[in-house]
Amino acid sequence: MNNKETIENISTENLIPFKNHPFKSRSGNEQEELKNSISAQGTIEPLIVRPFSSEGKYEVISGHRRLEICKELGVTDVPVIARNMTDAEAVIMMVDSNIQREDILPSEKAKAYRMKYDAMKHQGSKEGGLTLGELGEAAGESAKTVQR
């Protein structure tokens, strides 16, 4: 694997979900709007993936809902941005790209914050550790909200 970022179309069969992805797809207005948009215009925004294996598989970091809808609509190839990243970088990007969604359950948010907190500690982003206040600030939440 090299460090070059590429934009390409990848078969949906070669895309696997992020391990322990805390955010679940739910039906509703937002999901229906996304489905209508993809049906009418295709996938406008590429998924973000990282190489997963030597067999051409990629792990989805951002775009799980788009991928799910594409599969439902019978779309076989989707645009992706392929990036080489560590596990910690992948977790942080996955959480950051999903945490702003309106339909997130408190349990999903809690698991996501925990995953990001652990990933940031693993990266050694701060000497002496990361505080809940710093995590909350990065996510636009108070330290109390993150703690709860």
Side-chain angles (χ1 to χ4, degrees):
M1 293 191 306
N2 60 30
N3 289 330
K4 183 179 177 187
E5 181 175 286
T6 61
I7 300 174
E8 55 191 296
N9 284 324
I10 299 284
S11 169
T12 57
E13 293 179 5
N14 289 329
L15 299 173
I16 59 171
F18 192 85
K19 184 181 177 187
N20 297 323
H21 189 268
F23 305 103
K24 305 299 176 220
S25 290
R26 286 182 282 286
S27 58
N29 256 359
E30 189 177 323
Q31 195 78 352
E32 196 60 35
E33 288 174 10
L34 184 58
K35 185 176 181 178
N36 291 338
S37 173
I38 291 173
S39 181
Q41 301 176 48
T43 308
I44 297 169
E45 186 177 333
L47 286 67
I48 298 176
V49 300
R50 70 176 178 161
F52 187 73
S53 70
S54 59
E55 294 95 43
K57 299 286 185 187
Y58 293 84
E59 184 176 38
V60 177
I61 306 302
S62 175
H64 291 84
R65 292 183 308 153
R66 282 173 274 150
L67 177 60
E68 187 177 295
I69 289 171
C70 285
K71 285 181 176 181
E72 186 180 321
L73 293 171
V75 176
T76 57
D77 293 320
V78 293
V80 302
I81 297 172
R83 293 183 181 162
N84 289 312
M85 56 182 94
T86 66
D87 289 345
E89 291 168 335
V91 166
I92 291 167
M93 179 172 278
M94 181 271 303
V95 170
D96 288 347
S97 65
N98 283 282
I99 203 73
Q100 79 288 347
R101 289 179 17 202
E102 292 178 15
D103 62 346
I104 297 176
L105 296 173
S107 58
E108 293 172 334
K109 194 177 269 193
K111 184 175 180 183
Y113 283 146
R114 174 42 113 195
M115 289 174 75
K116 182 174 179 179
Y117 181 75
D118 290 345
M120 292 175 86
K121 280 189 353 186
H122 178 74
Q123 271 189 328
S125 61
K126 273 235 166 210
E127 203 166 78
L130 183 72
T131 69
L132 292 175
E134 291 166 328
L135 178 60
E137 185 178 313
E141 302 274 3
S142 70
K144 200 69 164 162
T145 298
V146 173
Q147 182 180 26
R148 282 194 302 261

